Amino acid sequence: LAQASGAPSGQRVPRPVPAEPPPILAPSRASRFELSGSGMAPPSAKPAGVSAFAGQNVNGSKVRSDFSDVPDPAAFELPAGDLARGQKLFKKHCAQCHSVYPDNRITRSGCTQLGPTLFNVYGRASGEAEIQQKMLMGGRAEGLVWTAGPLMNYMKNPRQAVNGNIQMNFRGIDDFQTRVDIIHYLRSLNWDNASVAALPDRPASVLPVFPFNVIGHFWTSRGARA
């Protein structure tokens, strides 16, 4: 073989190194969109009924929802729902930051008053109720009346519903019936509901440290005995 190849006897012929294939480059963004001129839609086109903002970032928040289940909030009519189930779902999704009482009191451990009270919220103008945290990053919903339609979309994706940032750390609820049931419960939080409207006066506020907590306990116990 060495003699046939012209190499001296006893010398090995080096094998040729195969050339590397050229790299396969992905089509550029511009070239992909050039396909639309030939009748082909770009790969990022959204199907009908999905918000044009889906998959994008608006004001620093991920926009992930479409409002096709409530396309016209002003004309939306609330379907039948379960008020008792709505109360349980409210406790799961809303009670961490919202009171249900007229004076915005908190009666559950682990909860705060970061948001406005949702007592009598149905039919109220947005941004009208007092809020404790006024200096946090983000604003409040404006120009809405909290009826069934706006509440449905706001609970689904609050930042997309108002097209801006808000103070609430809440991703939203996708399930349609869950939002319906919560709204049925919200509608019951009014002056006709004695369980939330007719409450005893708040106890006297004292500092929760010694000796003021002992003095306060003695003082309130003495008043109760009298």
Side-chain angles (χ1 to χ4, degrees):
L1 178 62
Q3 294 177 355
S5 60
S9 176
Q11 184 177 354
R12 301 181 62 182
V13 179
R15 296 182 179 180
V17 179
E20 295 184 359
I24 301 176
L25 301 178
S28 65
R29 183 178 179 87
S31 63
R32 291 200 305 268
F33 279 89
E34 288 173 358
L35 297 176
S36 60
S38 60
M40 298 177 62
S44 59
K46 307 297 182 191
V50 177
S51 167
F53 293 109
Q56 300 180 12
N57 287 324
V58 173
N59 297 322
S61 175
K62 182 69 174 179
V63 178
R64 58 181 177 85
S65 303
D66 70 277
F67 296 145
S68 58
D69 51 1
V70 187
D72 186 359
F76 177 76
E77 295 185 4
L78 188 67
D82 188 336
L83 189 150
R85 180 174 181 265
Q87 183 177 8
K88 296 178 180 178
L89 292 169
F90 177 91
K91 182 178 179 180
K92 174 182 178 181
H93 294 288
C94 315
Q96 292 86 348
C97 300
H98 290 282
S99 172
V100 296
Y101 302 108
D103 56 1
N104 204 21
R105 71 177 62 182
I106 294 294
T107 59
R108 297 186 179 98
S109 62
C111 299
T112 64
Q113 294 172 317
L114 290 177
T117 178
L118 297 184
F119 176 83
N120 221 20
V121 66
Y122 197 85
R124 188 171 73 200
S126 61
E128 182 180 82
E130 181 67 17
I131 188 171
Q132 184 182 44
Q133 299 291 342
K134 302 181 178 65
M135 302 303 294
L136 293 177
M137 182 179 66
R140 301 182 67 182
E142 298 179 354
L144 299 175
V145 176
W146 295 127
T147 54
L151 282 170
M152 287 288 289
N153 285 347
Y154 190 79
M155 283 194 292
K156 187 171 188 179
N157 193 323
R159 290 161 183 81
Q160 185 178 348
V162 302
N163 194 28
N165 195 18
I166 58 172
Q167 295 184 12
M168 187 166 57
N169 184 19
F170 180 66
R171 282 184 56 83
I173 304 170
D174 288 327
D175 184 68
F176 182 86
Q177 192 60 43
T178 294
R179 288 176 281 144
V180 168
D181 291 343
I182 291 176
I183 293 175
H184 277 281
Y185 174 65
L186 293 177
R187 293 178 65 178
S188 72
L189 303 177
N190 54 48
W191 294 107
D192 295 329
N193 186 348
S195 65
V196 294
L199 294 176
D201 293 336
R202 288 184 176 183
S205 176
V206 294
L207 294 176
V209 294
F210 182 83
F212 302 106
N213 54 350
V214 177
I215 296 172
H217 176 73
F218 172 77
W219 188 264
T220 55
S221 300
R222 180 182 178 184
R225 288 195 299 269

Short mmCIF file of all heavy atoms in Angstrom, two decimals, residues 1-65:
data_model
loop_
_atom_site.label_atom_id
_atom_site.label_comp_id
_atom_site.label_asym_id
_atom_site.label_seq_id
_atom_site.Cartn_x
_atom_site.Cartn_y
_atom_site.Cartn_z
N LEU A 1 0.84 -1.21 0.00
CA LEU A 1 0.00 0.00 0.00
C LEU A 1 0.87 1.25 0.00
O LEU A 1 0.61 2.23 -0.68
CB LEU A 1 -0.95 0.00 1.21
CG LEU A 1 -1.85 1.23 1.35
CD1 LEU A 1 -2.77 1.33 0.12
CD2 LEU A 1 -2.67 1.14 2.62
N ALA A 2 1.98 1.17 0.83
CA ALA A 2 2.88 2.32 0.88
C ALA A 2 3.53 2.57 -0.47
O ALA A 2 3.69 3.70 -0.91
CB ALA A 2 3.96 2.09 1.95
N GLN A 3 3.93 1.47 -1.17
CA GLN A 3 4.54 1.64 -2.48
C GLN A 3 3.54 2.15 -3.50
O GLN A 3 3.86 2.95 -4.37
CB GLN A 3 5.13 0.32 -2.95
CG GLN A 3 6.30 -0.14 -2.07
CD GLN A 3 6.83 -1.48 -2.50
OE1 GLN A 3 6.26 -2.12 -3.40
NE2 GLN A 3 7.92 -1.92 -1.89
N ALA A 4 2.30 1.71 -3.40
CA ALA A 4 1.28 2.16 -4.36
C ALA A 4 0.99 3.63 -4.19
O ALA A 4 0.65 4.33 -5.13
CB ALA A 4 0.01 1.33 -4.19
N SER A 5 1.13 4.14 -2.99
CA SER A 5 0.81 5.55 -2.76
C SER A 5 1.99 6.46 -3.05
O SER A 5 1.88 7.67 -2.94
CB SER A 5 0.38 5.75 -1.30
OG SER A 5 1.43 5.35 -0.43
N GLY A 6 3.15 5.88 -3.35
CA GLY A 6 4.30 6.71 -3.67
C GLY A 6 5.14 7.07 -2.47
O GLY A 6 6.10 7.81 -2.60
N ALA A 7 4.78 6.59 -1.25
CA ALA A 7 5.54 6.90 -0.04
C ALA A 7 6.67 5.91 0.10
O ALA A 7 6.57 4.77 -0.35
CB ALA A 7 4.62 6.83 1.18
N PRO A 8 7.79 6.31 0.72
CA PRO A 8 8.91 5.38 0.93
C PRO A 8 8.47 4.20 1.76
O PRO A 8 7.53 4.28 2.56
CB PRO A 8 9.95 6.25 1.64
CG PRO A 8 9.56 7.66 1.36
CD PRO A 8 8.09 7.66 1.18
N SER A 9 9.15 3.10 1.60
CA SER A 9 8.82 1.88 2.32
C SER A 9 9.03 2.08 3.81
O SER A 9 10.05 2.64 4.24
CB SER A 9 9.69 0.71 1.82
OG SER A 9 9.43 -0.43 2.59
N GLY A 10 8.05 1.64 4.63
CA GLY A 10 8.13 1.76 6.09
C GLY A 10 7.61 3.07 6.63
O GLY A 10 7.59 3.26 7.85
N GLN A 11 7.20 4.00 5.81
CA GLN A 11 6.68 5.28 6.29
C GLN A 11 5.16 5.32 6.15
O GLN A 11 4.63 4.99 5.10
CB GLN A 11 7.30 6.44 5.48
CG GLN A 11 6.88 7.81 6.00
CD GLN A 11 7.56 8.93 5.24
OE1 GLN A 11 8.45 8.65 4.41
NE2 GLN A 11 7.19 10.15 5.50
N ARG A 12 4.49 5.69 7.27
CA ARG A 12 3.02 5.73 7.27
C ARG A 12 2.52 7.02 6.61
O ARG A 12 3.09 8.10 6.81
CB ARG A 12 2.50 5.64 8.70
CG ARG A 12 2.95 4.36 9.42
CD ARG A 12 2.40 4.30 10.81
NE ARG A 12 0.95 4.28 10.78
CZ ARG A 12 0.19 4.26 11.89
NH1 ARG A 12 0.78 4.28 13.08
NH2 ARG A 12 -1.11 4.22 11.79
N VAL A 13 1.47 6.84 5.88
CA VAL A 13 0.86 8.00 5.21
C VAL A 13 -0.20 8.61 6.12
O VAL A 13 -1.12 7.92 6.57
CB VAL A 13 0.20 7.57 3.88
CG1 VAL A 13 -0.44 8.78 3.20
CG2 VAL A 13 1.25 6.91 2.98
N PRO A 14 -0.07 9.88 6.46
CA PRO A 14 -1.10 10.50 7.33
C PRO A 14 -2.45 10.57 6.62
O PRO A 14 -2.53 10.85 5.42
CB PRO A 14 -0.53 11.90 7.60
CG PRO A 14 0.38 12.17 6.45
CD PRO A 14 0.97 10.85 6.05
N ARG A 15 -3.46 10.29 7.40
CA ARG A 15 -4.81 10.37 6.84
C ARG A 15 -5.27 11.83 6.75
O ARG A 15 -4.99 12.63 7.66
CB ARG A 15 -5.79 9.60 7.71
CG ARG A 15 -5.50 8.10 7.75
CD ARG A 15 -6.54 7.40 8.59
NE ARG A 15 -6.28 5.96 8.61
CZ ARG A 15 -7.05 5.09 9.28
NH1 ARG A 15 -8.09 5.52 9.97
NH2 ARG A 15 -6.76 3.81 9.25
N PRO A 16 -5.97 12.17 5.70
CA PRO A 16 -6.46 13.56 5.60
C PRO A 16 -7.52 13.86 6.65
O PRO A 16 -8.36 13.03 6.98
CB PRO A 16 -7.04 13.62 4.17
CG PRO A 16 -7.37 12.20 3.85
CD PRO A 16 -6.34 11.36 4.53
N VAL A 17 -7.45 15.04 7.23
CA VAL A 17 -8.44 15.48 8.24
C VAL A 17 -9.67 16.01 7.52
O VAL A 17 -9.56 16.91 6.68
CB VAL A 17 -7.83 16.57 9.14
CG1 VAL A 17 -8.87 17.03 10.17
CG2 VAL A 17 -6.56 16.06 9.82
N PRO A 18 -10.83 15.42 7.82
CA PRO A 18 -12.05 15.91 7.14
C PRO A 18 -12.38 17.34 7.55
O PRO A 18 -12.18 17.73 8.70
CB PRO A 18 -13.13 14.92 7.60
CG PRO A 18 -12.62 14.36 8.89
CD PRO A 18 -11.13 14.32 8.75
N ALA A 19 -12.86 18.11 6.61
CA ALA A 19 -13.22 19.49 6.90
C ALA A 19 -14.49 19.54 7.75
O ALA A 19 -15.41 18.74 7.60
CB ALA A 19 -13.45 20.25 5.58
N GLU A 20 -14.54 20.50 8.71
CA GLU A 20 -15.72 20.65 9.57
C GLU A 20 -16.88 21.20 8.74
O GLU A 20 -16.70 22.12 7.93
CB GLU A 20 -15.41 21.59 10.72
CG GLU A 20 -14.36 21.05 11.68
CD GLU A 20 -14.16 21.97 12.86
OE1 GLU A 20 -14.82 23.04 12.89
OE2 GLU A 20 -13.35 21.63 13.74
N PRO A 21 -18.07 20.66 8.98
CA PRO A 21 -19.23 21.20 8.25
C PRO A 21 -19.54 22.61 8.71
O PRO A 21 -19.27 22.97 9.85
CB PRO A 21 -20.36 20.22 8.62
CG PRO A 21 -19.94 19.65 9.94
CD PRO A 21 -18.44 19.57 9.89
N PRO A 22 -20.07 23.42 7.87
CA PRO A 22 -20.40 24.79 8.27
C PRO A 22 -21.50 24.78 9.33
O PRO A 22 -22.37 23.92 9.35
CB PRO A 22 -20.90 25.43 6.96
CG PRO A 22 -21.35 24.28 6.13
CD PRO A 22 -20.44 23.14 6.48
N PRO A 23 -21.45 25.71 10.29
CA PRO A 23 -22.48 25.75 11.34
C PRO A 23 -23.85 26.07 10.77
O PRO A 23 -23.99 26.82 9.80
CB PRO A 23 -21.98 26.86 12.28
CG PRO A 23 -21.13 27.73 11.41
CD PRO A 23 -20.48 26.80 10.41
N ILE A 24 -24.85 25.46 11.40
CA ILE A 24 -26.23 25.71 10.99
C ILE A 24 -26.77 26.86 11.82
O ILE A 24 -26.86 26.77 13.05
CB ILE A 24 -27.10 24.45 11.20
CG1 ILE A 24 -26.54 23.29 10.38
CG2 ILE A 24 -28.55 24.74 10.84
CD1 ILE A 24 -27.28 21.99 10.59
N LEU A 25 -27.08 27.94 11.20
CA LEU A 25 -27.54 29.14 11.89
C LEU A 25 -29.06 29.20 11.86
O LEU A 25 -29.70 28.90 10.85
CB LEU A 25 -26.96 30.40 11.23
CG LEU A 25 -25.42 30.46 11.20
CD1 LEU A 25 -24.98 31.72 10.46
CD2 LEU A 25 -24.86 30.44 12.61
N ALA A 26 -29.62 29.60 13.02
CA ALA A 26 -31.08 29.78 13.08
C ALA A 26 -31.45 31.02 12.28
O ALA A 26 -30.68 31.99 12.22
CB ALA A 26 -31.53 29.93 14.53
N PRO A 27 -32.59 31.01 11.65
CA PRO A 27 -33.01 32.20 10.90
C PRO A 27 -33.18 33.39 11.83
O PRO A 27 -33.58 33.25 12.98
CB PRO A 27 -34.36 31.78 10.28
CG PRO A 27 -34.82 30.64 11.14
CD PRO A 27 -33.60 29.94 11.61
N SER A 28 -32.81 34.55 11.34
CA SER A 28 -32.92 35.75 12.15
C SER A 28 -34.38 36.11 12.35
O SER A 28 -35.28 35.61 11.69
CB SER A 28 -32.20 36.91 11.47
OG SER A 28 -32.86 37.22 10.25
N ARG A 29 -34.59 37.02 13.33
CA ARG A 29 -35.96 37.48 13.59
C ARG A 29 -36.57 38.14 12.37
O ARG A 29 -37.74 37.94 12.04
CB ARG A 29 -35.93 38.47 14.77
CG ARG A 29 -37.29 38.97 15.20
CD ARG A 29 -37.18 39.91 16.39
NE ARG A 29 -38.47 40.42 16.79
CZ ARG A 29 -39.27 39.80 17.63
NH1 ARG A 29 -38.92 38.65 18.15
NH2 ARG A 29 -40.43 40.33 17.97
N ALA A 30 -35.72 38.88 11.65
CA ALA A 30 -36.25 39.57 10.46
C ALA A 30 -36.66 38.57 9.40
O ALA A 30 -37.70 38.70 8.76
CB ALA A 30 -35.20 40.54 9.92
N SER A 31 -35.80 37.51 9.19
CA SER A 31 -36.12 36.55 8.14
C SER A 31 -37.36 35.75 8.48
O SER A 31 -38.11 35.35 7.60
CB SER A 31 -34.92 35.61 7.92
OG SER A 31 -34.66 34.85 9.09
N ARG A 32 -37.58 35.51 9.79
CA ARG A 32 -38.80 34.78 10.15
C ARG A 32 -40.04 35.59 9.81
O ARG A 32 -41.04 35.07 9.35
CB ARG A 32 -38.78 34.46 11.65
CG ARG A 32 -37.73 33.43 12.03
CD ARG A 32 -38.08 32.79 13.36
NE ARG A 32 -38.25 33.78 14.42
CZ ARG A 32 -37.28 34.17 15.23
NH1 ARG A 32 -36.05 33.70 15.07
NH2 ARG A 32 -37.53 35.04 16.18
N PHE A 33 -39.96 36.90 10.06
CA PHE A 33 -41.13 37.71 9.79
C PHE A 33 -41.31 38.00 8.31
O PHE A 33 -42.37 38.43 7.88
CB PHE A 33 -41.05 39.02 10.59
CG PHE A 33 -41.48 38.86 12.01
CD1 PHE A 33 -40.57 38.51 12.98
CD2 PHE A 33 -42.80 39.04 12.37
CE1 PHE A 33 -40.96 38.34 14.29
CE2 PHE A 33 -43.20 38.87 13.68
CZ PHE A 33 -42.29 38.52 14.64
N GLU A 34 -40.26 37.76 7.50
CA GLU A 34 -40.43 37.91 6.06
C GLU A 34 -41.37 36.87 5.49
O GLU A 34 -41.94 37.04 4.42
CB GLU A 34 -39.07 37.81 5.37
CG GLU A 34 -38.18 39.04 5.62
CD GLU A 34 -36.79 38.83 5.07
OE1 GLU A 34 -36.54 37.72 4.54
OE2 GLU A 34 -35.96 39.75 5.16
N LEU A 35 -41.55 35.77 6.25
CA LEU A 35 -42.47 34.74 5.78
C LEU A 35 -43.90 35.24 5.73
O LEU A 35 -44.73 34.72 4.99
CB LEU A 35 -42.39 33.52 6.70
CG LEU A 35 -41.04 32.80 6.75
CD1 LEU A 35 -41.10 31.69 7.78
CD2 LEU A 35 -40.70 32.23 5.38
N SER A 36 -44.19 36.26 6.56
CA SER A 36 -45.56 36.75 6.56
C SER A 36 -45.95 37.36 5.23
O SER A 36 -47.12 37.41 4.88
CB SER A 36 -45.75 37.77 7.69
OG SER A 36 -44.86 38.87 7.49
N GLY A 37 -44.96 37.83 4.46
CA GLY A 37 -45.29 38.40 3.16
C GLY A 37 -45.74 37.37 2.17
O GLY A 37 -46.38 37.70 1.16
N SER A 38 -45.41 36.09 2.41
CA SER A 38 -45.84 35.04 1.50
C SER A 38 -47.11 34.35 1.96
O SER A 38 -47.42 33.26 1.51
CB SER A 38 -44.72 34.00 1.37
OG SER A 38 -44.42 33.43 2.63
N GLY A 39 -47.81 34.99 2.93
CA GLY A 39 -49.07 34.42 3.41
C GLY A 39 -48.92 33.57 4.65
O GLY A 39 -49.90 33.05 5.15
N MET A 40 -47.68 33.39 5.15
CA MET A 40 -47.46 32.60 6.36
C MET A 40 -47.36 33.54 7.54
O MET A 40 -46.65 34.54 7.51
CB MET A 40 -46.17 31.77 6.24
CG MET A 40 -46.20 30.77 5.11
SD MET A 40 -44.64 29.88 4.97
CE MET A 40 -44.57 29.09 6.56
N ALA A 41 -48.09 33.24 8.62
CA ALA A 41 -48.08 34.09 9.80
C ALA A 41 -46.80 33.86 10.58
O ALA A 41 -46.23 32.78 10.56
CB ALA A 41 -49.29 33.77 10.69
N PRO A 42 -46.27 34.88 11.25
CA PRO A 42 -45.07 34.68 12.08
C PRO A 42 -45.36 33.71 13.20
O PRO A 42 -46.50 33.57 13.64
CB PRO A 42 -44.79 36.10 12.61
CG PRO A 42 -46.09 36.82 12.49
CD PRO A 42 -46.77 36.24 11.28
N PRO A 43 -44.34 32.99 13.68
CA PRO A 43 -44.58 31.97 14.69
C PRO A 43 -45.10 32.50 16.00
O PRO A 43 -45.66 31.75 16.79
CB PRO A 43 -43.19 31.33 14.88
CG PRO A 43 -42.22 32.36 14.38
CD PRO A 43 -42.93 33.09 13.29
N SER A 44 -44.95 33.81 16.29
CA SER A 44 -45.42 34.36 17.55
C SER A 44 -46.85 34.88 17.48
O SER A 44 -47.32 35.52 18.40
CB SER A 44 -44.50 35.50 17.98
OG SER A 44 -44.47 36.52 16.98
N ALA A 45 -47.54 34.65 16.38
CA ALA A 45 -48.90 35.16 16.25
C ALA A 45 -49.80 34.51 17.28
O ALA A 45 -49.70 33.32 17.57
CB ALA A 45 -49.43 34.87 14.85
N LYS A 46 -50.71 35.31 17.89
CA LYS A 46 -51.62 34.82 18.92
C LYS A 46 -52.91 34.35 18.28
O LYS A 46 -53.42 34.95 17.34
CB LYS A 46 -51.93 35.93 19.93
CG LYS A 46 -50.70 36.59 20.53
CD LYS A 46 -49.87 35.61 21.33
CE LYS A 46 -48.68 36.32 21.96
NZ LYS A 46 -47.71 35.43 22.51
N PRO A 47 -53.47 33.26 18.80
CA PRO A 47 -54.77 32.84 18.30
C PRO A 47 -55.85 33.84 18.65
O PRO A 47 -55.68 34.68 19.54
CB PRO A 47 -55.00 31.50 19.01
CG PRO A 47 -54.13 31.56 20.22
CD PRO A 47 -52.94 32.37 19.83
N ALA A 48 -56.94 33.75 17.96
CA ALA A 48 -58.04 34.68 18.20
C ALA A 48 -58.55 34.53 19.62
O ALA A 48 -58.63 33.45 20.17
CB ALA A 48 -59.17 34.41 17.20
N GLY A 49 -58.90 35.66 20.24
CA GLY A 49 -59.44 35.65 21.59
C GLY A 49 -58.41 35.82 22.68
O GLY A 49 -58.77 35.98 23.84
N VAL A 50 -57.12 35.79 22.35
CA VAL A 50 -56.07 35.96 23.34
C VAL A 50 -55.60 37.41 23.29
O VAL A 50 -55.46 38.00 22.22
CB VAL A 50 -54.89 35.01 23.07
CG1 VAL A 50 -53.76 35.25 24.06
CG2 VAL A 50 -55.36 33.58 23.15
N SER A 51 -55.39 37.98 24.47
CA SER A 51 -54.99 39.37 24.55
C SER A 51 -53.72 39.63 23.75
O SER A 51 -52.81 38.80 23.71
CB SER A 51 -54.76 39.75 26.01
OG SER A 51 -54.11 41.00 26.11
N ALA A 52 -53.64 40.79 23.12
CA ALA A 52 -52.44 41.16 22.39
C ALA A 52 -51.24 41.31 23.29
O ALA A 52 -50.10 41.29 22.84
CB ALA A 52 -52.69 42.47 21.64
N PHE A 53 -51.48 41.48 24.61
CA PHE A 53 -50.40 41.64 25.56
C PHE A 53 -49.92 40.30 26.13
O PHE A 53 -48.97 40.26 26.89
CB PHE A 53 -50.83 42.53 26.74
CG PHE A 53 -51.09 43.95 26.34
CD1 PHE A 53 -52.38 44.43 26.30
CD2 PHE A 53 -50.05 44.78 25.98
CE1 PHE A 53 -52.63 45.74 25.94
CE2 PHE A 53 -50.29 46.09 25.62
CZ PHE A 53 -51.59 46.58 25.59
N ALA A 54 -50.57 39.20 25.80
CA ALA A 54 -50.22 37.91 26.40
C ALA A 54 -48.78 37.55 26.08
O ALA A 54 -48.36 37.63 24.94
CB ALA A 54 -51.16 36.82 25.91
N GLY A 55 -48.05 37.14 27.10
CA GLY A 55 -46.66 36.76 26.91
C GLY A 55 -45.69 37.92 26.94
O GLY A 55 -44.49 37.72 26.79
N GLN A 56 -46.15 39.14 27.14
CA GLN A 56 -45.27 40.29 27.19
C GLN A 56 -45.19 40.81 28.62
O GLN A 56 -45.90 40.36 29.51
CB GLN A 56 -45.78 41.40 26.27
CG GLN A 56 -45.87 40.98 24.81
CD GLN A 56 -46.37 42.11 23.95
OE1 GLN A 56 -46.45 43.25 24.38
NE2 GLN A 56 -46.72 41.81 22.72
N ASN A 57 -44.34 41.79 28.84
CA ASN A 57 -44.22 42.46 30.12
C ASN A 57 -44.79 43.86 29.99
O ASN A 57 -44.45 44.61 29.08
CB ASN A 57 -42.75 42.55 30.57
CG ASN A 57 -42.25 41.20 31.02
OD1 ASN A 57 -42.99 40.43 31.61
ND2 ASN A 57 -40.99 40.92 30.74
N VAL A 58 -45.67 44.22 30.90
CA VAL A 58 -46.24 45.56 30.93
C VAL A 58 -46.00 46.13 32.31
O VAL A 58 -46.43 45.55 33.31
CB VAL A 58 -47.74 45.54 30.60
CG1 VAL A 58 -48.34 46.93 30.82
CG2 VAL A 58 -47.96 45.11 29.17
N ASN A 59 -45.28 47.26 32.37
CA ASN A 59 -44.98 47.91 33.64
C ASN A 59 -44.34 46.96 34.63
O ASN A 59 -44.62 46.98 35.83
CB ASN A 59 -46.26 48.52 34.24
CG ASN A 59 -46.85 49.59 33.36
OD1 ASN A 59 -46.12 50.37 32.77
ND2 ASN A 59 -48.17 49.65 33.27
N GLY A 60 -43.48 46.08 34.16
CA GLY A 60 -42.74 45.19 35.04
C GLY A 60 -43.50 43.98 35.50
O GLY A 60 -43.00 43.20 36.29
N SER A 61 -44.72 43.78 35.03
CA SER A 61 -45.52 42.64 35.48
C SER A 61 -45.80 41.71 34.31
O SER A 61 -46.05 42.16 33.20
CB SER A 61 -46.84 43.13 36.08
OG SER A 61 -47.68 42.04 36.41
N LYS A 62 -45.73 40.43 34.55
CA LYS A 62 -46.01 39.45 33.50
C LYS A 62 -47.49 39.44 33.17
O LYS A 62 -48.34 39.27 34.04
CB LYS A 62 -45.58 38.06 33.97
CG LYS A 62 -45.77 36.96 32.95
CD LYS A 62 -44.82 37.12 31.80
CE LYS A 62 -44.89 35.95 30.84
NZ LYS A 62 -43.99 36.12 29.70
N VAL A 63 -47.80 39.65 31.93
CA VAL A 63 -49.19 39.64 31.48
C VAL A 63 -49.47 38.27 30.90
O VAL A 63 -48.86 37.87 29.92
CB VAL A 63 -49.45 40.74 30.44
CG1 VAL A 63 -50.88 40.68 29.95
CG2 VAL A 63 -49.16 42.09 31.04
N ARG A 64 -50.36 37.54 31.51
CA ARG A 64 -50.54 36.14 31.14
C ARG A 64 -51.99 35.78 30.87
O ARG A 64 -52.30 34.63 30.69
CB ARG A 64 -50.03 35.24 32.28
CG ARG A 64 -50.73 35.52 33.61
CD ARG A 64 -50.21 34.64 34.73
NE ARG A 64 -50.83 34.97 36.01
CZ ARG A 64 -51.98 34.49 36.40
NH1 ARG A 64 -52.64 33.66 35.63
NH2 ARG A 64 -52.50 34.84 37.56
N SER A 65 -52.90 36.74 30.89
CA SER A 65 -54.32 36.40 30.84
C SER A 65 -54.99 37.00 29.62
O SER A 65 -54.51 37.95 29.02
CB SER A 65 -55.03 36.91 32.11
OG SER A 65 -54.44 36.39 33.26
#
